Amino acid sequence: MADTGAAAQGTSRRRGRNETEEERADRMWTELIQEVRVAQMGVQILFAFLLTVVFQPKYEDLSDTDQTIYLVTVVLGACATGALIAPVSLHRLVSGRRIKPQAVRWASRLTLLGLALLLATTTSSLLLILRVATHDSFVPWIVAGVVAWYLLCWLAIPVWTRYRHTAD
């Protein structure tokens, strides 16, 4: 039930946890930052390894196609890193401005963008590694299977869970 007095003052509206909008934003911010820490670690480690590839002697032996895949992968990794670190910068720049609910929404969007870019980075990394390691025609099928797995884990199960267990 909404607290109409508080709502009339513009301070908040009540939600399922009986928390104000600001309390909800604080809780959601804490949860989001914990989630971002996990994703940041993965993308930063992957990006660091990607940066070393160009300095390996075998890089010159890669076909033009594989070098292009590598360059695209590095750019995707850089973009994923930027998107997943962006919530920290956003928080620092807007902290104390009393706009945490809006900051949480933007940070959430940037995190989702970062996860999409991480999926693209991981996909192209896997494609490059399997192309170099096997030179077989089944590589695209393996990559497609892994992408399907990620989409199941990262998208389908969460969407199904949200749909299945969210009250009207």
Side-chain angles (χ1 to χ4, degrees):
M1 178 185 229
D3 180 355
T4 54
Q9 296 174 10
T11 56
S12 73
R13 53 181 185 222
R14 298 289 179 180
R15 301 258 176 157
R17 291 185 178 217
N18 199 28
E19 55 194 1
T20 66
E21 185 176 22
E22 290 78 20
E23 290 168 337
R24 183 172 190 262
D26 287 340
R27 177 181 54 81
M28 290 180 70
W29 181 260
T30 301
E31 292 172 1
L32 179 67
I33 289 303
Q34 292 302 325
E35 295 163 359
V36 167
R37 283 184 179 140
V38 173
Q40 276 180 351
M41 180 70 72
V43 76
Q44 288 172 334
I45 290 170
L46 176 59
F47 188 52
F49 281 115
L50 285 170
L51 292 176
T52 66
V53 169
V54 75
F55 300 106
Q56 302 303 314
K58 188 168 181 162
Y59 179 79
E60 293 299 324
D61 297 336
L62 293 177
S63 70
D64 288 343
T65 300
D66 289 339
Q67 286 185 8
T68 300
I69 293 170
Y70 169 74
L71 294 173
V72 167
T73 303
V74 169
V75 170
L76 286 169
C79 291
T81 300
L84 290 170
I85 293 174
V88 175
S89 174
L90 175 69
H91 184 261
R92 277 299 95 218
L93 292 173
V94 303
S95 183
R97 303 281 183 193
R98 300 185 187 270
I99 58 170
K100 188 171 260 180
Q102 295 84 357
V104 169
R105 281 192 292 279
W106 274 105
S108 180
R109 291 173 186 148
L110 289 165
T111 301
L112 287 172
L113 175 61
L115 290 173
L117 289 165
L118 177 57
L119 174 61
T121 305
T122 304
T123 300
S124 59
S125 297
L126 183 61
L127 176 63
L128 178 61
I129 290 166
L130 292 177
R131 281 177 54 93
V132 170
T134 67
H135 304 292
D136 287 323
S137 61
F138 62 83
V139 167
W141 295 104
I142 293 173
V143 173
V146 172
V147 169
W149 174 250
Y150 278 142
L151 291 174
L152 176 69
C153 294
W154 292 6
L155 186 63
I157 291 173
V159 167
W160 177 83
T161 303
R162 182 178 177 169
Y163 171 77
R164 175 76 172 89
H165 299 288
T166 300
D168 291 334

